[in-house]
């Protein structure tokens, strides 16, 4: 997979350096005929909302990292800065809360993700301590499993396989080039056994493009599970690899979207920046030759029906200079064979994080930058 992705990197870099348009300037433009493709919608109103500006601390969030819809209609919220996990019922009422900063059992340093393994078991991955903690929905700790990487610390927890093994991605430890040259994260995804040891590498790919920090339009690395298979992509040319549990490539498929042109991406990003100093700094970066490219999509989720959801890349919300909120926009729902199932318009300011049982849980921000959780029913499904 490295060869194909290297070709994509080179193509994208030349497109930016030469100012050549990579496609339509319409965010989420389709390459394929979508006549007859259903339109799903969210709402018009959320089923429930959780969050407040002040008051009861159970309803105050600082930086929500992960959401997991629960079988009873409620939701599990992982607050990274609050270093806590909280469950709420289908009316948004607080049910349980646990977690705190620390290295002991049931404590966390950096909550990366949560995963519903069974109806009453939640997995929580701490990417700072490299371990999975397993809890009941009442917060009772059931087990702790340290993960042991080889050529890089395990970071991106994609999920757990049916046999109890875990799928995790990491950035390989490789020499970095000079500080004034763009470097590209080289990623690997592997299976970690029930003893926490790396069993085998499943796939390799590319991650962020960096020049000190991530470049404005650097793609994201995506790893998600469908059954015991893994979806891997950087979203750069809209191709997703489906990899089997043995590491064999089952198929690659295209999401059918066209990237925006570099000129449109820069104008869209600059017009969304209110701070003149930040905008001037970005303009200076625009004038420098940087090995960057414009991704086709910026987010990838899977639902409980094995469908793949991708968000068309929007520079005004998805750039690393826009806090990577990846809110709103046009989403495409596909099968793992690459067939388009539906298009979904997501409300502005709302970022989906989990999809199951015909519902979407996500995060929204108000004018004071306060986070809230919303759960919507999918209409037209």
């Amino acid at each position: 997979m490295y060869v194909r992705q290297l070709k994509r990197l080179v193509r994208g870099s030349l497109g930016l350096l030469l100012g050549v348009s990579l496609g339509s300037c319409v965010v989420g433009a389709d390459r394929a005929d979508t006549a007859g493709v259903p339109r799903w919608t969210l709402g018009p109103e959320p089923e429930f909302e959780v969050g407040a500006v002040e008051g009861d601390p159970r309803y105050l969030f600082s930086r929500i990292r992960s959401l997991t819809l629960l079988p009873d209609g409620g939701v599990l919220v992982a607050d990274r800065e609050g270093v806590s996990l909280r469950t709420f019922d289908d009316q948004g009422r607080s049910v349980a809360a646990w977690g705190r900063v620390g290295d002991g059992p049931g404590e966390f340093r950096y909550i990366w993700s949560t995963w519903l393994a069974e109806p009453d078991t939640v997995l929580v991955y701490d990417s700072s301590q490299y371990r999975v903690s397993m809890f009941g929905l009442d917060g009772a700790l059931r087990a702790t499993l340290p993960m042991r990487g080889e050529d890089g610390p395990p970071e991106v927890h994609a999920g757990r396989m049916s046999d109890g093994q875990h799928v995790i991605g990491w950035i390989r430890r490789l020499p970095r080039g000079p500080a004034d040259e763009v470097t590209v994260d080289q990623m690997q995804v592997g299976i970690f056994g029930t003893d926490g040891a790396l069993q085998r590498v499943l796939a390799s790919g590319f991650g962020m493009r960096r020049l000190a920090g991530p470049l404005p339009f650097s793609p994201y690395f995506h790893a998600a599970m469908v059954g015991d298979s893994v979806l891997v992509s950087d979203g750069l040319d809209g191709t997703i690899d489906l990899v089997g549990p043995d590491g064999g490539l089952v198929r690659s498929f295209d999401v059918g979207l066209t990237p925006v042109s570099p000129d449109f991406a820069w104008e869209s990003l600059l017009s969304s920046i209110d701070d003149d100093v930040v905008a001037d700094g970005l303009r200076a970066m625009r004038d420098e030759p940087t090995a960057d490219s414009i991704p086709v999509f910026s987010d990838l989720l899977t639902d409980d029906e094995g469908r793949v959801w991708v968000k068309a890349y929007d520079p005004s919300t998805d750039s690393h200079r826009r806090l990577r909120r990846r809110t709103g926009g046009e989403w495409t729902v596909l099968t793992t064979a690459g067939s388009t199932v539906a298009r979904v318009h997501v409300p502005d300011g709302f970022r989906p994080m989990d999809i199951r049982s015909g519902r979407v849980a996500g995060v929204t921000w108000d004018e004071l930058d306060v986070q809230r959780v919303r759960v919507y029913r999918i209409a037209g499904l």
Side-chain angles (χ1 to χ4, degrees), residues 27-28 216-218 220 260 294-298 311-315 318-319:
V27 174
F217 306 119
S218 174
Y220 300 84
V260 300
I294 314 300
V296 171
F297 65 86
S298 59
K311 180 186 187 299
Y313 187 85
D314 183 347
D318 303 344
S319 167

Side-chain angles (χ1 to χ4, degrees), residues 16-281:
L16 185 59
L17 292 171
L18 300 176
V20 177
S21 172
L22 296 182
S24 169
C25 289
V26 177
V27 174
D30 302 309
R31 283 203 293 266
D33 181 10
T34 59
V37 174
R39 295 288 306 187
W40 297 347
T41 58
L42 306 186
E45 298 295 331
E47 288 190 331
F48 66 87
E49 180 178 281
V50 181
V53 176
E54 58 185 5
D56 190 331
R58 295 176 300 173
Y59 298 91
L60 305 181
F61 304 113
S62 53
R63 192 171 184 183
I64 296 171
R65 174 64 204 183
S66 178
L67 297 176
T68 302
L69 286 163
L70 302 175
D72 64 0
V75 64
L76 169 73
V77 183
D79 192 320
R80 194 179 82 187
E81 289 187 4
V83 196
S84 66
L85 293 121
R86 296 174 239 176
T87 57
F88 301 88
D89 67 14
D90 59 1
Q91 301 298 310
R93 295 172 298 208
S94 176
V95 176
W98 68 94
R100 62 183 181 182
V101 177
D103 302 320
E107 298 176 336
F108 310 102
R109 290 290 177 184
Y110 190 111
I111 298 174
W112 176 271
S113 63
T114 56
W115 179 271
L116 186 64
E118 288 112 21
D120 63 346
T121 302
V122 173
L123 310 180
V124 183
Y125 188 67
D126 186 326
S127 62
S128 180
Q129 302 188 89
Y130 314 123
R131 69 184 188 188
V132 173
S133 298
M134 286 160 266
F135 296 91
L137 291 178
D138 59 356
L141 180 64
R142 296 179 175 176
T144 301
L145 179 62
M147 297 295 172
R148 303 188 297 277
E150 293 181 355
D151 62 348
E155 180 182 10
V156 182
H157 188 273
R160 191 173 76 167
M161 306 184 80
S162 59
D163 61 3
Q165 299 189 103
H166 296 263
V167 177
I168 304 179
W170 65 92
I171 303 173
R172 297 183 63 198
R173 291 193 182 100
L174 295 171
R176 292 283 184 181
D180 60 348
E181 290 185 6
V182 173
T183 60
V184 182
D185 290 346
Q186 295 190 32
M187 308 294 297
Q188 288 191 317
V189 179
I191 292 180
F192 290 73
T194 54
D195 62 352
L198 176 64
Q199 302 299 302
R200 60 186 176 277
V201 174
L202 291 178
S204 299
F206 289 124
M208 290 185 183
R209 281 68 172 152
R210 304 176 189 268
L211 186 63
L215 293 170
F217 306 119
S218 174
Y220 300 84
F221 177 73
H222 306 282
M225 297 192 67
V226 173
D228 281 348
S229 295
V230 186
L231 299 163
V232 179
S233 180
D234 61 6
L236 198 56
D237 71 350
T239 300
I240 299 174
D241 291 328
L242 180 66
V243 182
D246 60 352
L249 179 64
V250 177
R251 71 178 64 89
S252 295
F253 59 95
D254 191 288
V255 301
L257 299 173
T258 301
V260 300
S261 72
D263 283 343
F264 176 83
W266 276 109
E267 292 306 320
S268 179
L269 174 58
L270 290 169
S271 65
S272 70
I273 302 292
D274 296 327
D275 189 314
D276 291 338
V277 174
V278 174
D280 288 343

